Amino acid sequence: MAVKGERVYVADPAHLHKLASELTKAPFIAVDTEFMRERTYYPRLCLVQVATESVCAIVDPLEVDDLAPLLDVLADTRIAKVLHAGVQDLEIFYRLMGSVPTPVFDTQVAATLAGFPQQVGYGALVREVTGVTLDKSDTFTDWSKRPLSGTQIEYALNDVRYLPAVYEDLRGRLEEEGRLEWLRPDFERLEDPGSYEVVPEDTWRRLKRVSSLNRRQLGVLQAVAAWREREAQRRDIPRKWVIGDESLIEIARRAPSDPDALRQIRGIGDKLSGKGAEGMLAAVEKGLAIPDDQLPGIERRPRRVPEGDGVVDLLAALVRIRAKQHNVAVPLLASRSDIERLAGGERDESPLLTGWRRQIVGEELLELLDGRLSLRIENGQVEVTPAEETGG
């Protein structure tokens, strides 16, 4: 098997078995995918790239029908799988394997605890760690077309070629700072199969303008959105190709009972006819039949502290102080929404009061809210002190 940096293009079963045998010797493997999704519901896998400290390869799933040897490696819990912003990659593997590759290490997530900005790009990490500037000219290429050019292959290989070096650098920094375990909850969420399961009856919650509907209309929306999701899955097309979001909202609002009433809704046109119209109308009827006590509702957010009273800004100031002190991206430590909810009294499920976030700033935020901690200006700097020291 070729050494790291050389092109290895796997397009037949024999070479795939050879590559898989090589990968099983490594303690970790870098993984990336290239896929197309513009015209399908499910992503169409076009390439899988893998790398270790000695191997850098592309597997072509359009040439190799059976990826089982590679998937067995991904399922091996002795081998860490290193990805960058790997949610979509893991979704693809979950669909292929029926399980999520574990354990995982996402370098984008890890980088935020090593002092990098939130959602830092792969290219920026590679440049910082290795000094290499990646060519991104093939970012919007059509990966489903064959043959691939040399520049396309090189682009794809680069997406994993430097990932082992980035992984080892980040892991070393976090181990030295005692932060590696802080990542465990984030990685466990990535490894959770529930993160990649689509529940059709829950898809209505992602739509806009739902707050304009009453509970009965929400019941209809739940039913018609679930029908659309299953129809998109069945036909393997984008959900909006079945029917657009705005049309769904109007169907829920009007609850049409026959094809003529359905066609009067803007955006329906020829998208729903024949069995499609029958299926949608049956979904409307199903939504109308939901018992009153089982109708969905919109969760009301807890009381928010008014912006003008300064409580949220005071808490945010403390968050910024601790984020800078610990070299952690502010949004990773606490979002504005997290702070507002805590200020409004929501403590039971606050992410600020669990794990490493509680350790860095959560406890102090509670003390500040309870009047046991103060912020004051000292020599031009904001200082955090116990309230009694200020006479409070």
Side-chain angles (χ1 to χ4, degrees):
M1 187 57 63
V3 298
K4 174 182 176 182
E6 294 183 8
R7 294 180 184 174
V8 178
Y9 197 96
V10 177
D12 62 77
H15 282 94
L16 180 59
H17 279 279
K18 187 176 182 181
L19 172 64
S21 177
E22 189 74 17
L23 294 176
T24 57
K25 303 173 185 178
F28 68 88
I29 56 173
V31 186
D32 189 43
T33 66
E34 305 297 345
F35 57 90
M36 303 293 290
R37 200 174 195 166
E38 287 80 0
R39 297 177 176 274
T40 59
Y41 179 90
Y42 298 105
R44 184 188 182 193
L45 182 62
C46 299
L47 292 177
V48 181
Q49 306 99 285
V50 292
T52 67
E53 292 182 313
S54 60
V55 176
C56 188
I58 286 177
V59 178
D60 191 341
L62 303 186
E63 298 290 340
V64 183
D65 293 332
D66 186 4
L67 296 178
L70 176 61
L71 299 181
D72 287 343
V73 175
L74 295 178
D76 191 336
T77 57
R78 299 171 301 172
I79 304 171
K81 272 63 71 172
V82 181
L83 308 98
H84 183 85
V87 171
Q88 293 186 91
D89 305 306
L90 293 172
E91 177 191 353
I92 290 172
F93 293 130
Y94 174 68
R95 180 165 168 75
L96 289 173
M97 300 166 57
S99 60
V100 183
T102 57
V104 301
F105 186 101
D106 192 306
T107 54
Q108 187 179 71
V109 176
T112 56
L113 285 181
F116 290 89
Q118 192 175 33
Q119 297 185 333
V120 62
Y122 174 64
L125 278 178
V126 169
R127 187 166 56 250
E128 170 70 21
V129 172
T130 69
V132 174
T133 299
L134 298 179
D135 179 5
K136 306 301 288 184
S137 58
D138 283 301
T139 299
F140 298 105
T141 195
D142 185 346
W143 295 106
S144 66
K145 291 185 176 180
R146 297 294 183 272
L148 295 174
S149 68
T151 59
Q152 286 176 308
I153 292 173
E154 198 65 16
Y155 173 95
L157 286 172
N158 281 341
D159 276 349
V160 290
R161 178 173 285 148
Y162 304 101
L163 202 46
V166 171
Y167 165 69
E168 293 189 320
D169 181 86
L170 291 175
R171 186 180 178 90
R173 296 190 196 196
L174 295 173
E175 282 183 333
E176 184 177 343
E177 296 170 1
R179 299 184 178 187
L180 199 56
E181 279 305 306
W182 291 7
L183 292 168
R184 189 67 263 163
D186 297 282
F187 291 166
E188 285 175 351
R189 282 191 289 273
L190 291 175
E191 295 165 0
D192 180 7
S195 299
Y196 311 99
E197 288 282 3
V198 176
V199 180
E201 282 71 22
D202 289 342
T203 55
W204 67 272
R205 298 182 184 278
R206 298 198 293 261
L207 302 177
K208 297 179 180 179
R209 292 179 53 209
V210 295
S211 60
S212 66
L213 303 179
N214 61 40
R215 291 194 66 197
R216 175 56 59 191
Q217 292 167 337
L218 287 177
V220 175
L221 181 63
Q222 181 185 57
V224 298
W227 178 85
R228 180 183 72 166
E229 198 72 16
R230 291 191 173 94
E231 186 71 2
Q233 291 172 343
R234 183 184 69 81
R235 296 165 60 185
D236 192 20
I237 61 174
R239 58 179 66 87
K240 290 185 179 180
W241 286 20
V242 178
I243 184 173
D245 292 354
E246 291 293 331
S247 297
L248 274 187
I249 296 292
E250 285 305 306
I251 289 174
R253 190 187 309 281
R254 301 187 193 184
S257 58
D258 58 69
D260 288 337
L262 182 61
R263 282 193 294 269
Q264 290 176 13
I265 295 175
R266 183 177 179 180
I268 298 300
D270 296 329
K271 283 190 173 183
L272 294 178
S273 59
K275 290 186 177 180
E278 291 176 7
M280 177 60 76
L281 292 172
V284 171
E285 188 175 346
K286 180 179 180 180
L288 291 172
I290 297 174
D292 289 346
D293 61 351
Q294 296 178 26
L295 288 171
I298 300 174
E299 294 182 6
R300 301 299 175 186
R301 291 183 176 181
R303 179 184 65 86
R304 297 290 181 90
V305 174
E307 286 287 336
D309 69 6
V311 173
V312 172
D313 289 331
L314 192 62
L315 297 178
L318 177 57
V319 168
R320 288 193 295 271
I321 290 169
R322 294 308 182 220
K324 182 178 180 180
Q325 176 187 345
H326 292 276
N327 199 25
V328 175
V330 172
L332 178 71
L333 181 56
S335 69
R336 185 76 177 185
S337 177
D338 292 336
I339 297 170
E340 289 174 352
R341 292 186 178 191
L342 185 65
E346 185 180 348
R347 298 188 179 188
D348 290 344
E349 298 182 4
S350 173
L352 297 173
L353 302 181
T354 59
W356 62 272
R357 291 177 177 85
R358 184 174 190 128
Q359 178 182 338
I360 287 182
V361 78
E363 285 290 348
E364 287 188 322
L365 289 172
L366 292 179
E367 292 177 8
L368 188 57
L369 280 169
D370 294 340
R372 294 180 285 121
L373 201 68
S374 296
L375 301 185
R376 66 179 183 183
I377 306 297
E378 186 77 26
N379 297 323
Q381 300 291 324
V382 179
E383 299 288 342
V384 183
T385 60
E388 57 267 26
E389 289 190 8
T390 65

